[in-house]
DNA sequence: GACAGATAGCTGTATTGTACAGGTAAATCA
DNA sequence: TGATTTACCTGTACAATACAGCTATCTGTC
């Protein structure tokens, strides 16, 4: 029993290490490709467009809640995105205070382009992996995110 | 063959999605716990201490290279950490230009505390997971990071 | 050994992404 | 109807980062 508990703690420590490392690498990658050609879409704009595309047009508040960001942050993000023609603001017909944010065709097109580029990137990075391992990684990451998200919501 | 290629592209898309989501969640978690009690160690300080503890005292440049950060960024980080008593600067005996950054006992202690807290957090989040799944997650994340890192270095 | 170029680190400045506080207008509730 | 809440925006501040430019030192070449 002692050994099992130990092994488990070691595994948790490894997961902690690897997640921290992944975050660092991910940010470095984003920064590096951000300044270069791929300045098409900064990170926040990408996740906002992903969310709008997946869950449909919605209010700033709904977006902020989903993205775990302050409303003011999202306001400024969507302002910038509107300036760039990526989203459109329309008054919410059901609530005079609200404005509905919808992706524009140009926004969707750019999001798709970034997504395709990223997918290609992963294809490149994981070129040597077996399909099974790729599947496992996708599954486990999905479950990890579910677990993280449910905990975030719960708190 | 058509189906296989398709399946694979879907998997890559899922991995892209999940990594993006994990980054977003991770940042949200960091921000949330950053303002609260856990203001013990901001992110950069933690990774710097992790690295110093693992690889030994070293120069600002070496740190910057390892962390994929600009030297000036690391300079400021270590300045703040020195102010907080987490690291010490000593002149490099082998190179008059350099200063060697070493963790202080207080820095190591705080790093260990944060690490333990994070490990506990993962234990909490993954409470329902089987040991096998945890192992798989740790392994696959490790391999993903290796792949990412070797690509970053190669570029 | 002297000088040219490279390197280590620091400082100034700008940018980006974020939060919090405060304001206004609209909605909701008692 | 009046009080409270909500949605959004704006002002302000802060943290993390990069780039440019600076000085001190090192390294190689002649």
């Amino acid at each position: 029993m002692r050994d099992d508990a130990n092994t488990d703690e070691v595994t948790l420590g490894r997961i902690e290490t690897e997640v921290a490392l992944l975050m660092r690498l991910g940010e470095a990658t984003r920064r590096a490709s951000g300044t270069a050609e791929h300045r098409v879409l900064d990170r926040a704009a990408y996740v906002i467009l992903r969310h709008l595309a997946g869950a449909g047009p919605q209010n700033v508040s709904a977006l902020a809640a989903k993205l775990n960001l302050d409303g003011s942050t999202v306001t400024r993000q969507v302002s910038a995105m509107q300036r760039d023609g990526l989203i459109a603001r329309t008054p919410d017909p059901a609530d005079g205070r609200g404005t509905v944010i919808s992706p524009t065709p140009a926004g969707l097109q750019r999001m798709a382009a970034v997504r395709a580029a990223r997918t290609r990137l992963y294809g490149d990075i994981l070129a040597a992996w077996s399909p099974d391992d790729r599947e496992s990684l996708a599954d486990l990451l999905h479950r990890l995110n579910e677990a993280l998200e449910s905990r975030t919501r719960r708190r």
Side-chain angles (χ1 to χ4, degrees), chain A residues 105-128:
Chain A
L108 291 175
Q109 185 266 319
R110 279 222 232 159
M111 182 208 67
V114 172
R115 180 146 206 244
R118 289 199 189 183
T119 301
R120 266 198 307 278
L121 176 65
Y122 281 102
D124 185 23
I125 288 168
L126 305 182

Side-chain angles (χ1 to χ4, degrees), chain A residues 73-91:
Chain A
T73 301
V74 177
T75 292
R76 282 173 234 266
Q77 284 290 343
V78 300
S79 296
M81 293 171 73
Q82 186 179 34
R83 167 176 44 76
D84 296 343
L86 301 175
I87 56 94
R89 275 181 167 114
T90 51

Side-chain angles (χ1 to χ4, degrees), chain A residues 84-146:
Chain A
D84 296 343
L86 301 175
I87 56 94
R89 275 181 167 114
T90 51
D92 188 338
D95 186 336
R97 298 164 299 178
T99 56
V100 177
I101 314 299
S102 345
T104 60
L108 291 175
Q109 185 266 319
R110 279 222 232 159
M111 182 208 67
V114 172
R115 180 146 206 244
R118 289 199 189 183
T119 301
R120 266 198 307 278
L121 176 65
Y122 281 102
D124 185 23
I125 288 168
L126 305 182
W129 288 36
S130 74
D132 274 3
D133 284 351
R134 295 181 183 193
E135 286 283 344
S136 298
L137 177 64
D139 288 346
L140 288 169
L141 281 177
H142 183 66
R143 289 177 52 200
L144 173 63
N145 282 327
E146 275 183 340

Side-chain angles (χ1 to χ4, degrees), chain A residues 39-59:
Chain A
R39 194 51 185 189
V40 273
L41 219 50
D42 57 21
R43 175 187 44 174
Y46 180 65
V47 298
I48 287 174
L49 282 170
R50 284 287 302 260
H51 198 72
L52 289 176
Q58 56 201 279
N59 284 343

Side-chain angles (χ1 to χ4, degrees), chain A residues 11-50:
Chain A
T11 304
L12 289 173
R14 284 175 60 212
I15 291 173
E16 191 271 327
T17 301
E18 299 299 340
V19 171
L21 186 54
L22 179 60
M23 302 259 296
R24 186 159 71 64
L25 285 170
E27 289 202 359
T29 302
R30 176 176 62 82
R31 271 196 302 278
S33 66
T35 33
E37 26 137 5
H38 270 122
R39 194 51 185 189
V40 273
L41 219 50
D42 57 21
R43 175 187 44 174
Y46 180 65
V47 298
I48 287 174
L49 282 170
R50 284 287 302 260

